[in-house]
Each structure stands twice: as structure tokens, then as C-alpha cells.
Amino acid sequence: MLTIWGRLNSHNVKKVVWAAVETGQEWVRHDIGGSFGYSPEYLAMNPNRLVPTLVEDDFSLWESNAILRYLADAHAPHLWPQGLRARALADKWMDWQFAFADAQRDGFLQMVRVAEADRDTARIERSIAETNKLMLIMEETLAKQPFLTGEAFGIADIPMGAYAYTWFKLDFAQADVPNIRRWFESVSARPGFQYVAIPLT
């Protein structure tokens, strides 16, 4: 059985839970991190004081996108497109997602986890501008293909699916991205997404 350690209001945990659903394997998740703190047992598995960590049998792994790659290779090869170059193009979007996460972080934290009276408007506006610019890059790709993974839903769609959910939920002026909206309507219908689409906290 797959065991996922991490609180579900973490974007990185959402990615891994979504991927676990896609594998069809049995899995269980334990809350840890954030308000739940870190136990010595957890820190022995993951000394970074971060989530998630995946455990399967006597194997443990941290770093969310490394976990996604492992889950796809071990239990859901259909999540990878066929061919080395197609796989590399999909893999590229998984690394690109970290740039988007950096751009969105201030906007998310300020608008969700900071009281309105204490928010830093300049940080929010900078985050809005940076995420809109990046979304336009993604929009160009999705104008040419239905999914970030290529012709079918796959591994590259999970990380940005989790972050796009937050982007659409945040209350700010968003770039005009009809192809992303079409893509998001498709990926958000998947059971894995439905499981992790909790209110922002």
C-alpha cells in the first residue's frame, strides 16, 4: 500500500494524492506539517521539514515531482506519453511548474493566509503580474495541444492542475486564457482532482 505523509492544503501534497488516485493503487494519507507539526519519526524519513513523503514497503521518497515520476513509472505508465522526446517535453512542464509556484506564492499567502488589513498590496500585485505572464506561456502551448502532457492527459497536467485551481480561485484580474480554461475544465473533472479540490486555507 502507498502511504502519503502530508497535509492536504499543501499544493505539493495535492499533486501526490492526485497521482495516487490516478494509479488505482490502495493508498492512505496522514496529516503532518503546518499546524500538525513534524514528528521525530517523520523527520527521520524527511529531514527537510517539508511535505510530502511517500512510503511504499521499505522505500521512502520525498520531493513531490520525484514522487509523481516514481508513481507513474511504478504504477501508472499510461501517465507518460510514448517516446523519449514526448516524455521529455512533458517532463519539462513539471519543472516549469516550480517557476509558477514561486510566482504565485506571495499572492496565495497574502490573499489566503494573511488578514486583509495586514496584506502587502505590492507583493500581491507583483504576484498577479508574474503569474499572468507565465499563464500566457502555458496558453500558447495549450492552443496547439489538448494537454501539457501532449495528446492525452498525463503526468505533466497534475502539477499545474493543482496550481491552476488556486490561480482561478484567487480573486484578482486574470489574463485571458481560453485554452487554459478548456484544459482546466477537462482535468478538473478527473476523480483525482476532485479529491484534492478543497477550499483554500
Side-chain angles (χ1 to χ4, degrees):
M1 177 183 288
L2 304 171
T3 301
I4 300 165
W5 292 86
R7 54 190 169 81
L8 197 54
N9 66 345
S10 158
H11 286 85
N12 288 331
V13 175
K14 289 178 182 179
K15 294 188 294 185
V16 170
V17 169
W18 183 352
V21 173
E22 296 286 346
T23 69
Q25 300 293 303
E26 291 188 23
W27 60 275
V28 64
R29 182 185 62 82
H30 300 295
D31 283 320
I32 203 155
S35 62
F36 299 98
Y38 295 99
S39 68
E41 293 79 12
Y42 180 79
L43 293 176
M45 292 188 294
N46 187 342
N48 299 291
R49 299 186 71 85
L50 294 170
V51 290
T53 298
L54 176 77
V55 177
E56 184 175 28
D57 303 323
D58 60 350
F59 174 70
S60 66
L61 180 65
W62 37 263
E63 287 297 328
S64 59
N65 284 356
I67 295 171
L68 261 63
R69 294 178 181 106
Y70 170 77
L71 289 174
D73 286 335
H75 301 294
H78 63 276
L79 291 177
W80 285 112
Q82 294 297 308
L84 179 62
R85 292 182 178 181
R87 178 172 172 143
L89 289 172
D91 204 16
K92 167 189 69 177
W93 287 105
M94 297 180 71
D95 288 343
W96 183 88
Q97 169 260 295
F98 288 115
F100 188 87
D102 287 343
Q104 184 170 263
R105 183 173 295 109
D106 278 347
F108 168 72
L109 294 175
Q110 291 290 317
M111 297 178 76
V112 175
R113 297 185 179 170
V114 174
E116 188 171 359
D118 299 326
R119 291 174 185 168
D120 185 329
T121 303
R123 293 174 75 177
I124 294 172
E125 289 179 351
R126 184 166 56 249
S127 180
I128 292 170
E130 290 174 357
T131 56
N132 278 335
K133 180 172 67 175
L134 291 171
M135 278 299 207
L136 290 174
I137 294 173
M138 186 170 151
E139 172 73 6
E140 288 183 10
T141 290
L142 291 174
K144 302 169 187 172
Q145 61 190 54
F147 296 96
L148 292 175
T149 305
E151 293 304 311
F153 171 86
I155 192 168
D157 299 287
I158 294 174
M160 274 309 298
Y163 277 90
Y165 172 72
T166 297
W167 190 76
F168 281 122
K169 285 288 186 182
L170 294 177
D171 185 21
F172 60 78
Q174 297 166 344
D176 182 25
V177 287
N179 291 297
I180 290 177
R181 290 183 182 277
R182 181 265 310 154
W183 163 84
F184 186 71
E185 182 178 358
S186 178
V187 300
S188 64
R190 300 187 71 85
F193 174 90
Q194 295 292 321
Y195 191 95
V196 303
I198 64 172
L200 301 181
T201 58

